[in-house]
Amino acid sequence: MKNAQVRELTKMAITAALYVVLCYAFAFMSYGLIQFRIAEILLILVLYNKKYCIPVILGTFIANMLNGAYDMIFGTLATVFVLLIIILIQNKTVNKIIIAPAAAIINGIIIGLMLFYIFKVPYALWFCMISVAAGEFAVVLIGVLVFHAVEKNNKRFIDLLRE
């Protein structure tokens, strides 16, 4: 394997592992009705390079093993839809504006439905959707702001992401 391939594979493995570690380390707030999944900040990586889709999806799938097969399927599906929107919208400025609301709406609907119908949480469907959406919106918005600050102050890190 060439050095460039090893470097790429390493970056992808680290990204997937980081997603899983962040979910498990903060499991008390990454799963359930009120979700503030810090790992979702990694969605922002796809704004800089589409190749991060694979490790973020893989990380989501592995992290969702903690909740079982339904979360592995539906949670990962929600991530795929959010990343698909990012890829389809080529304008980076537009993506930065819509990523938090898009992630909130998609996760709110899919995960809210899953919590209500499959996991039978004892709350109204609208409450399930809004609670998941609110946490997702907050995390992704924080991620956008953090990456924006990094972009302004650490060009080398951003260049590494774009490679």
Side-chain angles (χ1 to χ4, degrees):
M1 217 184 250
K2 298 176 187 166
N3 283 343
Q5 289 173 320
V6 170
R7 183 179 169 134
E8 278 306 300
L9 188 57
T10 302
K11 283 169 44 176
M12 298 303 110
I14 289 170
T15 303
L18 184 58
Y19 191 99
V20 174
V21 167
L22 286 171
C23 285
Y24 286 2
F26 298 100
F28 67 95
M29 64 184 186
S30 294
Y31 302 94
L33 184 61
I34 299 175
Q35 296 186 8
F36 193 81
R37 191 178 272 203
I38 294 170
E40 289 289 285
I41 288 174
L42 296 175
L43 294 172
I44 310 303
L45 294 174
V46 179
L47 292 174
Y48 298 97
N49 197 322
K50 292 184 277 193
K51 70 181 177 189
Y52 288 103
C53 280
I54 306 271
V56 170
I57 292 167
L58 181 61
T60 303
F61 183 79
I62 294 168
N64 287 341
M65 286 179 177
L66 192 63
N67 261 1
Y70 289 117
D71 201 18
M72 291 165 63
I73 295 165
F74 294 113
T76 304
L77 187 63
T79 298
V80 168
F81 286 150
V82 172
L83 296 177
L84 190 60
I85 288 171
I86 294 170
I87 289 170
L88 291 175
I89 297 174
Q90 298 293 314
N91 187 312
K92 189 173 156 191
T93 304
V94 171
N95 263 328
K96 281 184 179 180
I97 294 168
I98 68 148
I99 188 172
I105 291 167
I106 290 168
N107 278 279
I109 292 169
I110 293 174
I111 305 305
L113 287 167
M114 180 186 72
L115 289 170
F116 186 76
Y117 287 110
I118 295 171
F119 291 114
K120 308 277 189 217
V121 296
Y123 298 97
L125 176 59
W126 65 266
F127 184 79
C128 293
M129 290 178 166
I130 288 174
S131 68
V132 171
E136 183 74 11
F137 182 81
V139 169
V140 177
L141 182 61
I142 290 167
V144 169
L145 296 173
V146 166
F147 273 90
H148 182 72
V150 170
E151 198 171 322
K152 296 286 184 209
N153 297 309
N154 193 339
K155 300 273 190 219
R156 179 65 187 130
F157 179 73
I158 299 301
D159 290 342
L160 283 172
L161 293 176
R162 290 184 176 139
E163 288 180 354

